Amino acid sequence: MSEHATTSPSTSTSTSASTSTSAGTTGTAAVGTGAAARLRRWHPLALLALPAGASWVVVRGLSDGHAHWAGSVVGVALTVAGVAWAEQRLGVRRAAAVAVLGSVLAVVPAVFLLRLGEAVGEQFSEFAETDRVWSPTVTLVVVVAAASRGLAPARRQGVRAALVAVVLAALLFGGHGGDLARAAALLAGLALGRRLVPLSTRSAWHDETARSARTIAATTLGTVALGWAIAAVGLDAVGVLSPIADLLDPAATIAAIGVLVLAVALLLRGRRLGLVLAVASLVLMTGLLAWYFTVIPLADDWFTWTGVPSGELEWQVALLLVWLVPAASIVVLLTRRQAFGRRATGSGASDDRQRVLEQLARSDAGSLGYMGTWAGNSHWFAADEEASDEEATVRSGAHRTSCDGSVAYRAAHGVALTVSDPVSSAEEAAETIRRFARWCSTRALVPAFYSVHERHLGTFAELGWNVTPVAEEAVLDLAGFTTAGKKRQDLRTAVNRASRDGVEAVWGTWASLPGRLRAQVESLSDDWVDAKALPEMGFTLGGLAELDDPDVRVLLAVDGTGRLHGVTSWLPVRRGGALVGRTLDVMRRGADPMPGVVEFLITTAAQTFRTEGLETLSLSGTPLAPARPDLPSTLVSRGVARVMALTGRVLEPSYGFSSLARFKAKFDPRHETLWLACPSAADLAPISRALAAAYVPGLQARQVVAALAAARGRKETGR
């Protein structure tokens, strides 16, 4: 059976705070005291903010009959969480300084502007005359805005864009004194961040032009969508754009806001559909607003322009021109339309494969790199990007290092899923990863480095990416390989049985095998596939088509009558131009084979490769196998582990992952963890869809349902 990894994070258990030997209340009190001490040490400001916020909720509820307690509670909860996050990133002293100083710098100017507006008769200031200017969310905006300076570039831009959208929407649509204070808090937080918070040293990997264009477009549309929701829900909304709430009936308003939110999500992903949806919605919105609030009122002489107080005149002008907001948003989106081009799917042309083969011959792509040459993969080359960027580099005067790396990948569901490590020298690997990620960003693809080895984790840490263990690769170091020892007893038994039964190991390439043996391999493969309830997997799992390659060695087990008992195939592993190892790909048994035939074939291969001077033999990655218990366990990895455990139970009858892990243990290998690296945990959902499309592109819903039913039946019967 072919094998390799899908996704399987660490399932290591967490350490209990107290052991079963802890005695009575003394142990419990000690544990509780220790937890409280850790909490005070980690988040003392958040602990102070919690009772202060609760008191504020009570006072506001008693003094303001219009205040809704649920909104106040949510605001306090968000503030406590935001303060805890900020003090974790900034430290207690700096976080406290930002919270106190920033709140003062926000409230004082807001109060001054409101009083000034009220003095000159500005109507919106008069509306906010009795509003409370400070609230816990003012402090929330200050600390989050300041702490965001220390985030990686992409996350910093995302957090600040979200703050801008929320603050602007509340100010323009809500129009209360607190909304003005939050706007001032945003400016104060950004200013304090520049003075007190060190800028993140993490590398920027996005294409900044495309990223900024998408962020601005999404922020603009998000402001409109969120503001419309505020105006529709807030019964006391008095902002200059609050009349938009009267544009549609409640049901239509909910539907319209939902469409806008969907468009925002698509814009953030760089989807052209999001741009089309956003522009179409805004055009319709602009037309309706202009018709109902400008054309009809002017035609019917609803407004009078003489003898009207300045405050009322101000309101009338705002009502007449409210359509300018969605109209301006259309302009913003259209001027950034180049960032929403069609996604590149890459090229799988034969000349690209030849270029990759040449690079593999002189570079290092790890034990799984040869899989990138298979049909269905696309290829990206750093040299091609250098040629296209040369003119821009000359114009900017920037220095650009040369890079000759490449990446094999598959694009699906907005994800560029790589085939293990980049193909490059050790010195150029990090630069290859960064440039490929930037290329993906330009084309609205999520870069996902799948089944990469540990040597690249430092690069992903510098980028601030999320890494999750997905498989364990079993590796034999050939220099010390023998069949001695209790753990390898089955290997000795298989070799002895083959000698006794007259089963021989036959080496060759697919083209060099006799026609009768090729026919038996084809028949064996067809029978193996037909016996499965689910389709044959691909991507990093080779099949019959991948055997027909002059660089792939085939090892068969054939008896004296010429009958085929088993087949394995071995991919080349090169480093710096030298062949240093082989990786197991195809591994299948014939009908009624000699017991232990695959053990015999792999043992023979290991002994042969050791004689030839190779360093390692990889048994490839084990799909859905638990990661090493010594690996760090995160909330994301534990969540993915539970999903993968269910997936493993469903797929076990067809692909035998559990039995595969037990089989590899017979060789007493060492294990290397394979990782999935992606920009953030939020990308795991589309990456899962891309993995399913890559591994089983022909999978149908009815086959999944049948597999689930079979798994449920086995669980009920205890098999």
Side-chain angles (χ1 to χ4, degrees):
M1 186 186 79
S2 302
E3 85 282 3
H4 193 51
T6 49
T7 49
S8 176
S10 171
T11 56
S12 60
T13 57
S14 59
T15 304
S16 174
S18 60
T19 63
S20 58
T21 57
S22 297
T25 58
T26 302
T28 304
V31 172
T33 303
R38 287 194 299 271
L39 192 59
R40 286 195 300 270
R41 185 171 67 250
W42 290 342
H43 303 303
L45 294 181
L47 287 176
L48 290 174
L50 189 57
S55 302
W56 182 84
V57 170
V58 172
V59 170
R60 188 186 181 204
L62 293 175
S63 60
D64 188 352
H66 297 290
H68 197 290
W69 66 269
S72 300
V73 169
V74 170
V76 168
L78 290 175
T79 302
V80 171
V83 168
W85 174 76
E87 66 178 313
Q88 184 178 20
R89 300 196 63 85
L90 306 181
V92 176
R93 291 184 179 180
R94 276 192 296 172
V98 167
V100 174
L101 185 57
S103 296
V104 172
L105 292 176
V107 170
V108 171
V111 171
F112 174 77
L113 289 175
L114 287 173
R115 294 296 174 262
L116 179 63
E118 184 182 351
V120 300
E122 197 274 325
Q123 190 164 15
F124 294 103
S125 297
E126 293 176 354
F127 289 158
E129 179 184 359
T130 59
D131 290 343
R132 283 185 174 82
V133 176
W134 183 87
S135 69
T137 52
V138 171
T139 303
L140 170 65
V141 172
V142 167
V143 296
V144 172
S148 67
R149 180 174 166 80
L151 297 175
R155 293 180 182 175
R156 178 171 65 245
Q157 190 180 54
V159 168
R160 291 182 172 181
L163 284 176
V164 169
V166 171
V167 167
L168 275 182
L171 180 62
L172 296 176
F173 290 81
H176 295 288
D179 299 322
L180 180 60
R182 279 183 284 272
L186 176 59
L187 298 177
L190 294 176
L192 289 172
R194 290 181 64 86
R195 303 285 291 182
L196 300 176
V197 182
L199 189 64
S200 171
T201 57
R202 283 182 171 163
S203 306
W205 62 271
H206 286 94
D207 179 272
E208 286 305 314
T209 302
R211 174 75 178 182
S212 296
R214 291 169 193 149
T215 302
I216 291 172
T219 303
T220 302
L221 188 65
T223 301
V224 174
L226 182 59
W228 196 351
I230 291 173
V233 174
L235 300 179
D236 56 347
V238 292
V240 292
L241 302 180
S242 58
I244 289 179
D246 300 324
L247 180 63
L248 301 173
D249 60 59
T253 298
I254 293 173
I257 294 173
V259 170
L260 293 179
V261 170
L262 173 61
V264 170
L266 294 173
L267 288 175
L268 288 173
R269 289 288 183 181
R271 297 288 298 273
R272 176 176 289 186
L273 176 60
L275 181 65
V276 173
L277 201 59
V279 171
S281 301
L282 290 173
V283 166
L284 181 60
M285 186 177 180
T286 302
L288 290 175
L289 286 172
W291 178 258
Y292 286 117
F293 293 122
T294 303
V295 176
I296 292 178
L298 290 178
D300 294 344
D301 293 327
W302 285 9
F303 298 117
T304 57
W305 307 105
T306 57
V308 179
S310 60
E312 186 175 341
L313 181 62
E314 176 188 357
W315 179 259
Q316 292 179 3
V317 171
L319 192 62
L320 286 171
L321 300 180
V322 70
W323 58 271
L324 286 176
V325 174
S329 301
I330 295 171
V331 175
V332 172
L333 266 62
L334 291 180
T335 55
R336 287 158 177 80
R337 63 186 181 278
Q338 297 301 326
F340 302 93
R342 294 188 182 277
R343 284 178 174 155
T345 56
S347 169
S350 58
D351 58 337
D352 285 351
R353 183 179 188 275
Q354 186 58 40
R355 289 177 67 183
V356 172
L357 286 172
E358 293 171 0
Q359 285 190 320
L360 284 170
R362 64 178 185 269
S363 302
D364 181 12
S367 55
L368 310 179
Y370 199 82
M371 297 174 181
T373 66
W374 291 349
N377 293 323
S378 300
H379 302 98
W380 169 89
F381 299 93
D384 294 347
E385 291 303 298
E386 286 183 4
S388 63
D389 292 346
E390 184 176 356
E391 183 180 347
T393 304
V394 170
R395 285 199 307 267
S396 65
H399 175 69
R400 192 175 181 87
T401 17
S402 178
C403 182
D404 191 36
S406 66
V407 173
Y409 71 96
R410 296 199 184 189
H413 301 292
V415 175
L417 196 65
T418 75
V419 185
S420 194
D421 302 329
V423 183
S424 69
S425 64
E427 297 75 18
E428 293 182 344
E431 183 65 16
T432 301
I433 289 172
R434 292 190 186 96
R435 293 195 185 187
F436 178 72
R438 187 161 51 247
W439 177 85
C440 290
S441 171
T442 304
R443 287 150 183 82
L445 293 169
V446 175
F449 283 83
Y450 176 69
S451 287
V452 295
H453 288 83
E454 190 166 347
R455 63 179 177 271
H456 299 296
L457 295 189
T459 301
F460 297 119
E462 291 176 6
L463 297 175
W465 283 21
N466 181 81
V467 292
T468 304
V470 293
E472 290 297 310
E473 181 182 12
V475 180
L476 301 179
D477 295 309
L478 296 178
F481 177 79
T482 69
T483 58
K486 183 178 180 181
K487 290 185 177 180
R488 293 175 175 171
Q489 172 64 47
D490 289 345
L491 310 188
R492 297 194 298 274
T493 300
V495 171
N496 293 335
R497 183 185 293 273
S499 177
R500 185 175 65 249
D501 294 353
V503 176
E504 296 182 350
V506 177
W507 282 103
T509 62
W510 182 254
S512 68
L513 292 177
R516 58 183 178 80
L517 285 181
R518 286 204 302 267
Q520 289 190 70
V521 172
E522 291 172 350
S523 176
L524 180 155
S525 181
D526 291 341
D527 292 343
W528 184 86
V529 172
D530 291 342
K532 307 299 179 185
L534 297 175
E536 183 178 13
M537 298 180 76
F539 188 38
T540 57
L541 302 169
L544 194 60
E546 285 69 38
L547 295 180
D548 191 6
D549 188 317
D551 289 328
V552 176
R553 295 184 68 177
V554 179
L555 179 59
L556 309 179
V558 184
D559 64 19
T561 66
R563 185 169 71 90
L564 179 68
H565 287 252
V567 56
T568 57
S569 68
W570 301 90
L571 309 177
V573 179
R574 293 186 174 88
R575 184 174 64 244
L579 183 67
V580 296
R582 290 274 178 178
T583 298
L584 175 64
D585 180 31
V586 172
M587 179 178 67
R588 295 175 184 175
R589 300 176 178 85
D592 190 24
M594 177 197 82
V597 63
V598 178
E599 290 90 332
F600 162 67
L601 287 172
I602 295 177
T603 302
T604 301
Q607 293 170 338
T608 301
F609 297 151
R610 183 188 61 188
T611 303
E612 293 175 353
L614 301 188
E615 298 175 8
T616 59
L617 178 153
S618 170
L619 298 178
S620 197
T622 303
L624 305 175
R628 300 197 316 263
D630 59 319
L631 294 176
S633 178
T634 65
L635 179 63
V636 173
S637 67
R638 290 194 295 272
V640 176
R642 285 190 286 270
V643 174
M644 290 302 102
L646 173 61
T647 305
R649 289 195 295 271
V650 173
L651 299 182
E652 179 63 25
S654 293
Y655 303 119
F657 296 133
S658 298
S659 58
L660 178 61
R662 292 192 297 270
F663 170 79
K664 290 182 181 181
K666 296 180 180 181
F667 296 87
D668 191 23
R670 64 178 172 85
H671 290 91
E672 294 186 7
T673 301
L674 300 176
W675 301 80
L676 166 67
C678 59
S680 73
D683 297 314
L684 290 175
I687 289 172
S688 298
R689 295 176 61 202
L691 280 169
Y695 273 108
V696 198
L699 186 64
Q700 299 177 1
R702 59 179 178 80
Q703 294 171 315
V704 176
V705 171
L708 286 169
R712 190 179 301 110
R714 289 191 306 276
K715 183 177 181 180
E716 292 173 353
T717 58
R719 289 185 294 171

